[in-house]
Amino acid sequence: MGSYVDSNLVKDEHVVYEAHNHWINFISLRAIFSFFLLPLIDNWTSEYAITNKRVIIKVGLIRRRTIEMNAQKVESIAVDQSIMGRILGYGDITVVGTGASRETFEQISDPIKFRRIFQEVQNNEH
């Protein structure tokens, strides 16, 4: 796991699952015009983790966006997949927290598995 998640784990917390950006990020005009540098930077600087206590997500190099939400404060994790996303195994996740906070993260690998593992962790919390 990356340095952000590792450095923000609390006592008795461990990573249960980590997801990554999908390779589809390399197939775009943005990738081609940046000589594939921007998708590489995205891959190096994005961390998606589920721990036994919370969801931790960090994206960005210069402009960083993070979400760290306790499992009991997450109302749901919504998955949005196109037909191509279902075939190739990628999609967007939206983490919906109590108080109507919503954070969307795009084109991660196996978003259904991310949601399923989070639900397992959330059920073990209760």
Side-chain angles (χ1 to χ4, degrees):
M1 181 85 295
S3 61
Y4 181 83
V5 171
D6 290 338
S7 66
N8 284 288
L9 295 177
V10 297
K11 184 180 178 189
D12 298 326
E13 184 177 28
H14 62 275
V15 175
V16 175
Y17 180 73
E18 62 182 288
H20 303 280
N21 290 331
H22 194 268
W23 59 262
I24 199 74
N25 290 321
F26 287 92
I27 302 175
S28 67
L29 289 177
R30 176 180 179 258
I32 293 167
F33 288 134
S34 70
F35 301 104
F36 302 99
L37 186 60
L38 292 176
L40 276 174
I41 291 170
D42 289 345
N43 281 349
W44 290 330
T45 62
S46 298
E47 300 177 44
Y48 307 91
I50 298 171
T51 73
N52 58 321
K53 298 181 182 222
R54 58 193 170 145
V55 173
I56 302 173
I57 299 174
K58 190 262 309 181
V59 295
L61 175 65
I62 296 170
R63 182 176 177 257
R64 180 182 286 181
R65 186 172 74 148
T66 64
I67 178 174
E68 298 179 34
M69 195 174 298
N70 292 333
Q72 64 267 21
K73 298 290 183 182
V74 176
E75 287 184 4
S76 67
I77 294 182
V79 173
D80 184 22
Q81 282 185 298
S82 64
I83 293 171
M84 191 60 81
R86 289 190 63 185
I87 293 168
L88 297 177
Y90 70 90
D92 303 342
I93 59 168
T94 301
V95 180
V96 180
T98 56
S101 61
R102 303 174 69 85
E103 294 286 337
T104 300
F105 300 92
E106 298 175 342
Q107 296 182 334
I108 69 164
S109 291
D110 207 349
I112 299 291
K113 184 175 182 182
F114 188 92
R115 180 178 61 190
R116 181 177 41 79
I117 290 176
F118 172 75
Q119 288 169 338
E120 290 170 3
V121 166
Q122 195 175 41
N123 287 336
N124 289 335
E125 283 275 314
H126 295 114

